[in-house]
Amino acid sequence: MNSATSTQNQLEQLKKLTTVVADTGDFERMQAFQPQDATTNPSLILKAAQQSNYQSLVNAVKVAHPGMSTTDLVDYILVAFGLEILKIVPGRVSTEVDARLSFDTKATIAKAKHLIALYESHGIDRNRILIKLAGTWEGIAAAKELEADGIHCNMTLLFSLVQAAACGAANAKLISPFVGRITDWYKAKLGANWNDINNGGENDPGVTSVKRIFHYYKHFGIPTEIMGASFRNTSQILELAGCDLLTISPELLADLQASGASVDKKLDPINAKAALTAEGITALKLDESSFRLQLNNDAMTTEKLAEGIRNFCIDTEKLEALLAK
């Protein structure tokens, strides 16, 4: 059964099944898509900060904080973009903690509290902010403490059920399981053996990973929100229609808006138990050593997590260099 009439475009249909989130720092562009929430990361903010139309915002932050180190200035830039985004979206914005702190729980907590304080100094309720943390053991431990203190977290760079289970146990508000980066890894691994028919659509490895997490959470009653992220095409997005949230780039939001094809609900909590049984998944009981071992034994997750942190570190340093000019 189609979820909506053909008079609605795919984005409009998708919004009836899933909370749509804009994945960009380009707040001027996101207005056209009327998302509920928005997510940013160091790479997206760097990209936006280099655009001529945002130079006045960047310069205003620099002028307001003369003599401040570029490392500290980055926090103010992130919040400045977040404040503008919050004028557009009715819901929440996700702001990322410095990726260089991904293996330091104490420093991550301090940075998260600093970012929240900056938002609150502008009159923003902390419930409208999600602090993005990498899905490392240290990041998850930080989330547990922050959530207990009323600071909500978005766990990112998440590629596996093991990470998702640990985040759920830590009472994280939201997780962002990545889709496209998982697909990238398997595509590279299979090389010439990759087949878009056999390995795409509902069989896409990134899609099946998020489905597995969705079924696990819904079956075991884990309230943490699931937000599919890192999409390469609209097929991946549509295969996850029905997920709690989906964060989508402006380019793919535009593609969805331009299509009148029907959108069907693909994920439903009612089907979680049967799906979980079929996949042979049981509840995961994780401590630090078992978490690290299972992560280590998953080559894809280990490689993509390390690569993601590494690239966010590089882009944070590029942003600092930009601010130093």
Side-chain angles (χ1 to χ4, degrees):
M1 182 191 299
N2 291 342
S3 60
T5 64
S6 59
T7 56
Q8 292 184 312
N9 65 50
Q10 287 190 317
L11 181 57
E12 291 169 330
Q13 294 178 63
L14 185 64
K15 284 181 177 180
K16 293 179 181 296
L17 303 171
T18 291
T19 297
V20 171
V21 180
D23 193 20
T24 180
D26 187 349
F27 53 83
E28 292 179 2
R29 193 172 178 195
M30 74 172 65
Q31 295 187 63
F33 307 109
Q34 299 183 306
Q36 174 66 23
D37 296 348
T39 55
T40 64
N41 63 43
S43 303
L44 294 173
I45 295 297
L46 172 64
K47 184 178 178 182
Q50 291 172 315
Q51 294 177 214
S52 59
N53 50 323
Y54 293 125
Q55 288 311 301
S56 59
L57 184 150
V58 172
N59 291 333
V61 172
K62 290 170 71 174
V63 169
H65 304 283
M68 180 175 280
S69 74
T70 53
T71 299
D72 291 333
L73 207 54
V74 165
D75 295 339
Y76 288 83
I77 291 290
L78 296 178
V79 170
F81 274 90
L83 290 169
E84 294 301 319
I85 289 168
L86 287 170
K87 294 176 184 177
I88 297 167
V89 301
R92 306 167 295 189
V93 67
S94 291
T95 297
E96 191 142 353
V97 161
D98 190 333
R100 293 170 295 191
L101 304 178
S102 296
F103 302 101
D104 188 333
T105 298
K106 187 176 179 181
T108 292
I109 292 168
K111 180 69 79 173
K113 289 182 175 179
H114 176 56
L115 290 170
I116 287 294
L118 289 180
Y119 275 112
E120 290 183 334
S121 72
H122 289 275
I124 303 298
D125 189 293
R126 63 176 55 188
N127 288 322
R128 294 195 70 198
I129 309 301
L130 290 172
I131 298 296
K132 288 181 80 174
L133 309 174
T136 57
W137 179 260
E138 293 82 1
I140 295 167
K144 185 173 184 178
E145 189 169 324
L146 289 166
E147 289 286 356
D149 207 23
I151 296 173
H152 296 311
C153 301
N154 170 354
M155 306 308 296
T156 188
L157 294 175
L158 197 141
F159 303 95
S160 66
L161 181 60
V162 171
Q163 288 173 293
C167 291
N171 298 314
K173 181 69 173 178
L174 181 148
I175 61 169
S176 294
F178 281 24
V179 177
R181 296 195 200 189
I182 292 177
T183 307
D184 293 345
W185 190 90
Y186 281 100
K187 225 171 186 177
K189 186 176 178 65
L190 287 173
N193 292 322
W194 175 274
N195 183 302
D196 281 333
I197 296 173
N198 296 331
N199 304 112
E202 65 179 3
N203 298 318
D204 183 302
V207 168
T208 57
S209 178
V210 177
K211 284 182 179 178
R212 193 175 301 119
I213 291 167
F214 181 89
H215 294 146
Y216 184 92
Y217 271 24
K218 302 311 176 187
H219 176 62
F220 291 111
I222 297 168
T224 299
E225 299 170 35
I226 305 165
M227 180 168 70
S230 166
F231 294 105
R232 297 291 178 258
N233 52 62
T234 57
S235 171
Q236 292 175 331
I237 295 166
L238 298 174
E239 286 295 339
L240 295 175
C243 193
D244 299 337
L245 308 96
L246 296 173
T247 184
I248 306 168
S249 69
E251 292 76 17
L252 292 177
L253 286 169
D255 288 345
L256 291 167
Q257 205 172 54
S259 173
S262 63
V263 176
D264 297 320
K265 188 173 187 178
K266 295 296 180 79
L267 292 183
D268 193 328
I270 296 170
N271 303 328
K273 186 170 185 177
L276 212 62
T277 303
E279 293 168 19
I281 298 172
T282 55
L284 295 173
K285 303 295 182 186
L286 299 164
D287 57 14
E288 183 177 355
S289 61
S290 61
F291 175 87
R292 291 190 186 282
L293 180 62
Q294 291 187 54
L295 208 66
N296 180 76
N297 290 343
D298 183 338
M300 179 275 295
T301 298
T302 298
E303 291 174 26
K304 297 310 287 187
L305 175 59
E307 178 188 68
I309 293 171
R310 195 160 55 241
N311 287 337
F312 282 163
C313 287
I314 290 168
D315 283 344
T316 299
E317 289 168 3
K318 286 181 180 178
L319 184 56
E320 287 177 347
L322 185 71
L323 295 175
K325 292 179 181 177

